[in-house]
């Protein structure tokens, strides 16, 4: 006998319909989740790659702009240099012509004076009284001086001479306007024979002559120069007229400083490298009197003095007598009897760094306007003659001074050797509180040689301003730079304690970035993959090398894998919840459908059971019984399958 309890048709139909609904749904959900996860991951990598390339382009442009800035600065300095040298050469040439003209006038004076009849008469009268009376001071000599002296005194005063001398053919100084201790002395056998006046006298017996400055005892031992010429009568030399050159006349020309700024000056140097005019910048040691009194301190033993005394005319950057770098324009003077050089100089700091009417420095304003930490102008010998920040490196030498082994010192030597723009990578720099500093530099080239070096100290804030822009980077995304030493070249957003530029150089053990991305990028690989970052967290990392002038860096853009997976996990959860809801709905639908199917089947089974029990035979003929039996067997088979 078939029991309905043995044939749980409804539940089996429900299970069958639920499976038929859930299996495709589950497969579809799994496939959708997989594809969505892959799409979100690919989208995250694409976004990181885009950020990486944007940052890379910005950093490369940043350094290209720095090179451009240096190019402009170099051209500006070169223009200032040309203008300064042109101006200095003009000053030198003007002064040269004035000094040569001044001495040309002195030769003209002595020539005219030696041929003047009053001078001839004065020498004859005064010398005769000197010989007759055996010296100076007696009546005849006094009378002759009273007759001719006023005119001679007036001449010396009017033409600006320190003294005027009448000297007999025998070497006796028979008359002087100044009436110093040389009056009455003999220049051939007396104590003044070897003095500048004595040397002049011996030469002036035959021609007009100029004797250079040297200490002269009768004038309190101060340097004196003389010009003299023979006095002739009837073609015979009867003596010499001489003039003692006044320094005031020379200094009047040389101390005119029009257009020379604060540090400009022109001065004269003799063959002994001592001053022949007074210095404006060093009135203590480099006046004519001071230099002769103390040659060790007053000597001008510079390239300009040596070259000029050897006959060269030039203008270039040198060290002056105080050891300061200067623009120097020099030339020998064409004056008979003298071997002098005229030198016009101005400090390079002033020549190359113009100041406006308010006293503002051009390069200081440039440094502030364009956001550089410092700006340097450096002499070819390494001397830092200008610094906008004026830290401890100002006025030191980057070639052989105390900061020569710094990255700036190495950079200066490199660009002096190569003649090209270059970069010094970040490294602790002592003058800037030993904090990491990077520099770019380029030389100013003139006639194939470096005249000076322009250097810029980069601002870390400018680099951080690029790297710390985090649009679209979520909560954990960041981009940062590292150098070939795996230390930071920009400050980390996520770890401001250990992974800033300053902190990583101060403590490399904690601040180094030794990750797969860092190593691959520094090896020249550009890629994006999941790695462990410097904190050990799994991240999506997009990395690339950056080649700079003189340095190789790596740029990494990263975001935590957990943050990237948040929307993926949310999607999976949404699919699970949706699947659960759909499962319930499918179950309810399956129950309804199953009931609609199972009820007729159950009725059919019951009917078949009644037939089998003979309960309906009275109402059915034999043929019908056979047919119903067959139907009952068929229903029984269906139920058994269910």
């Amino acid at each position: 006998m078939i029991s309905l309890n043995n044939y749980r048709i409804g539940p089996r139909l429900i299970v069958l319909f639920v499976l038929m609904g859930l299996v495709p749904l589950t497969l579809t959900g799994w496939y959708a989740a997989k594809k969505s996860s892959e799409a979100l991951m690919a989208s995250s990598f694409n976004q990181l790659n885009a950020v990486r390339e944007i940052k890379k382009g910005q950093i490369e442009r940043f350094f290209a702009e720095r090179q451009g800035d240096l190019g402009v600065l170099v051209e500006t300095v070169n223009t200032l240099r040309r203008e300064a040298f042109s101006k200095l050469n003009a000053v030198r040439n003007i002064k040269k012509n004035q000094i040569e003209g001044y001495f040309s006038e002195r030769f003209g004076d002595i020539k005219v004076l030696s041929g003047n009849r009053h001078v001839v008469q004065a020498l004859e009268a005064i010398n005769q009284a000197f010989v007759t009376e055996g010296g100076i001071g007696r009546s005849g000599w006094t009378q002759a001086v009273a007759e001719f002296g006023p005119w001679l005194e007036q001449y010396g005063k009017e033409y600006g001479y320190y003294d005027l001398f009448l000297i007999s053919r025998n070497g006796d100084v028979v008359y002087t306007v100044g009436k110093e201790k040389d009056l009455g002395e003999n220049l051939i056998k007396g104590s003044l024979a070897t003095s500048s006046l004595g040397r002049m006298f011996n030469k002036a017996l035959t021609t007009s002559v100029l004797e250079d400055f040297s200490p002269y005892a009768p004038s309190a031992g101060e340097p004196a120069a003389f010009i003299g010429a023979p006095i002739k009568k009837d073609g015979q030399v009867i003596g010499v007229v001489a003039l003692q050159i006044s320094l005031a006349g020379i200094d009047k020309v040389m101390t005119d400083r029009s257009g020379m700024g604060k540090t400009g000056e022109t001065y004269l140097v003799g063959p002994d490298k001592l001053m022949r005019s007074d210095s404006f910048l060093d009135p203590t040691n480099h006046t004519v009197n001071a230099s002769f009194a103390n040659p060790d301190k007053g000597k001008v033993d510079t390239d300009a003095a040596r070259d000029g005394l050897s006959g060269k005319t030039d203008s270039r950057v040198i060290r002056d007598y105080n050891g300061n770098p200067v623009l120097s324009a020099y030339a020998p003077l064409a004056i008979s009897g003298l071997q002098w050089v005229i030198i016009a100089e101005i400090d390079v700091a002033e020549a190359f760094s113009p100041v406006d009417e308010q006293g503002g420095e051009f390069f200081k304003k440039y440094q502030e306007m364009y956001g550089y930490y410092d700006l340097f102008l450096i002499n070819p010998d390494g001397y830092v003659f200008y610094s906008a920040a004026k830290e401890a490196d100002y006025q030191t030498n980057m070639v052989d001074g105390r900061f020569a082994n710094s990255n700036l010192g190495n950079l200066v030597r490199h660009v002096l050797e190569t003649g090209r723009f270059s970069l010094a990578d970040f490294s602790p720099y002592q003058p800037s509180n030993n904090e990491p500093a990077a520099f770019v530099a380029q030389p100013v080239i003139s006639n194939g040689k470096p005249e000076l070096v322009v250097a810029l100290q980069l601002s870390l804030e400018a680099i951080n301003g690029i790297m710390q822009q985090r649009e679209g980077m979520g909560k954990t995304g960041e981009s940062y730079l590292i150098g070939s030493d795996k230390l930071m070249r920009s400050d980390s957003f996520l770890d401001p304690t250990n992974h800033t530029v300053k902190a990583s150089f101060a403590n490399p053990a904690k601040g180094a970035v030794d990750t797969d991305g860092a190593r691959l990028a520094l090896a020249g690989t550009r890629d994006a993959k999941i790695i462990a970052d410097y904190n050990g967290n799994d991240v999506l990392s997009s990395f690339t090398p950056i080649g700079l002038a003189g340095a190789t860096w790596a740029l990494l853009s990263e975001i935590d894998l957990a943050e990237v997976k948040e929307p993926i996990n949310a999607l999976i959860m949404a699919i699970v919840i949706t699947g659960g809801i759909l499962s319930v709905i499918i179950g309810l639908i399956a129950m309804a459908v199953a009931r609609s199917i199972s009820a007729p089947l159950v009725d059919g089974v019951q009917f078949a059971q009644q037939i089998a029990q003979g309960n309906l035979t009275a109402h059915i003929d034999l043929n019908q019984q056979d047919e119903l039996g067959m139907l009952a067997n068929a229903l029984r088979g269906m139920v058994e399958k269910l």
Side-chain angles (χ1 to χ4, degrees), residues 253-534:
V253 174
M254 300 305 296
T255 57
D256 179 7
R257 301 181 57 258
S258 302
M260 294 294 284
K262 295 181 179 180
T263 61
E265 67 172 351
T266 54
Y267 56 94
L268 301 168
V269 176
D272 49 13
K273 299 177 184 175
L274 300 179
M275 303 295 289
R276 294 303 191 269
S277 66
D278 292 345
S279 162
F280 164 75
L281 296 178
D282 183 15
T284 301
N285 296 312
H286 286 89
T287 64
V288 177
N289 289 338
S291 68
F292 275 94
N294 192 343
D296 289 341
K297 291 184 177 180
K299 187 172 289 188
V300 180
D301 191 10
T302 65
D303 288 345
R306 289 189 293 271
D307 285 356
L309 291 172
S310 67
K312 296 179 182 177
T313 298
D314 201 357
S315 54
R316 59 193 182 98
V317 176
I318 66 161
R319 290 295 186 95
D320 70 0
Y321 53 74
N322 284 323
N324 299 322
V326 295
L327 271 66
S328 183
Y330 49 87
L333 292 175
I335 301 172
S336 177
L338 299 180
Q339 186 189 359
W340 289 3
V341 57
I342 183 169
I343 301 173
E345 293 175 340
I346 186 170
D347 275 11
V348 289
E350 181 176 5
F352 293 151
S353 180
V355 177
D356 60 24
E357 294 179 356
Q358 290 74 39
E361 298 176 359
F362 170 80
F363 290 114
K364 178 66 175 177
K365 289 184 175 180
Y366 185 97
Q367 170 248 336
E368 293 173 347
M369 181 180 298
Y370 290 95
Y372 289 102
Y373 184 91
D374 204 352
L375 186 155
F376 305 89
L377 300 178
I378 304 170
N379 214 36
D381 63 0
Y383 181 78
V384 180
F385 65 82
Y386 179 84
S387 164
K390 292 181 173 56
E391 293 185 326
D393 46 14
Y394 177 50
Q395 294 183 337
T396 65
N397 195 294
M398 287 295 164
V399 171
D400 55 15
R402 57 188 174 127
F403 302 122
N405 292 325
S406 67
N407 53 346
L408 178 57
N410 293 331
L411 177 65
V412 169
R413 289 193 296 275
H414 178 71
V415 298
L416 286 172
E417 292 172 2
T418 64
R420 295 192 303 270
F421 168 88
S422 193
L423 163 73
D425 200 354
F426 279 94
S427 181
Y429 186 62
Q430 185 179 342
S432 298
N433 299 317
N434 212 39
E435 295 183 3
F439 303 87
V440 290
Q442 185 172 333
V444 176
I445 302 296
S446 177
N447 298 322
K449 295 181 179 180
E451 280 289 336
L452 60 85
V453 173
V454 183
L456 294 168
Q457 186 170 348
L458 303 183
S459 169
L460 183 59
E461 283 71 20
I463 296 175
N464 280 335
I466 295 172
M467 300 306 297
Q468 292 185 348
Q469 293 175 0
R470 300 182 57 256
E471 288 78 6
M473 294 292 283
K475 295 179 180 179
T476 61
E478 67 171 351
S479 297
Y480 57 92
L481 297 164
I482 62 171
S484 57
D485 51 10
K486 299 178 183 176
L487 300 180
M488 303 297 288
R489 295 302 190 268
S490 66
D491 292 345
S492 163
F493 164 73
L494 296 177
D495 183 13
T497 301
N498 296 313
H499 286 90
T500 64
V501 177
K502 182 178 178 181
S504 68
F505 275 93
N507 192 343
K510 291 184 177 181
V513 180
D514 191 12
T515 64
D516 287 345
R519 290 189 292 271
L520 287 169
L522 291 174
T525 300
R526 182 178 65 176
D527 201 354
K529 58 193 300 186
I530 296 174
I531 65 168
D533 71 359
Y534 53 74

Side-chain angles (χ1 to χ4, degrees), residues 82-92 258-261:
R82 287 194 299 267
E83 291 176 352
F85 272 124
S86 178
K87 187 175 182 179
L88 205 60
N89 287 335
V91 169
R92 177 201 64 197
S258 302
M260 294 294 284

Side-chain angles (χ1 to χ4, degrees), residues 141-153:
W141 182 87
T142 301
Q143 184 178 352
V145 168
E147 180 181 355
F148 296 101
W151 183 87
L152 295 172
E153 290 176 10

Side-chain angles (χ1 to χ4, degrees), residues 146-183:
E147 180 181 355
F148 296 101
W151 183 87
L152 295 172
E153 290 176 10
Q154 180 62 30
Y155 182 92
K157 182 178 180 180
E158 184 173 339
Y159 287 90
Y161 289 101
Y162 180 88
D163 207 347
L164 185 153
F165 302 82
L166 294 178
I167 308 167
S168 71
R169 179 71 178 79
N170 296 324
D172 294 320
V173 180
V174 297
Y175 173 80
T176 71
V177 169
K179 297 180 176 59
E180 293 182 338
K181 293 181 179 181
D182 45 15
L183 180 58

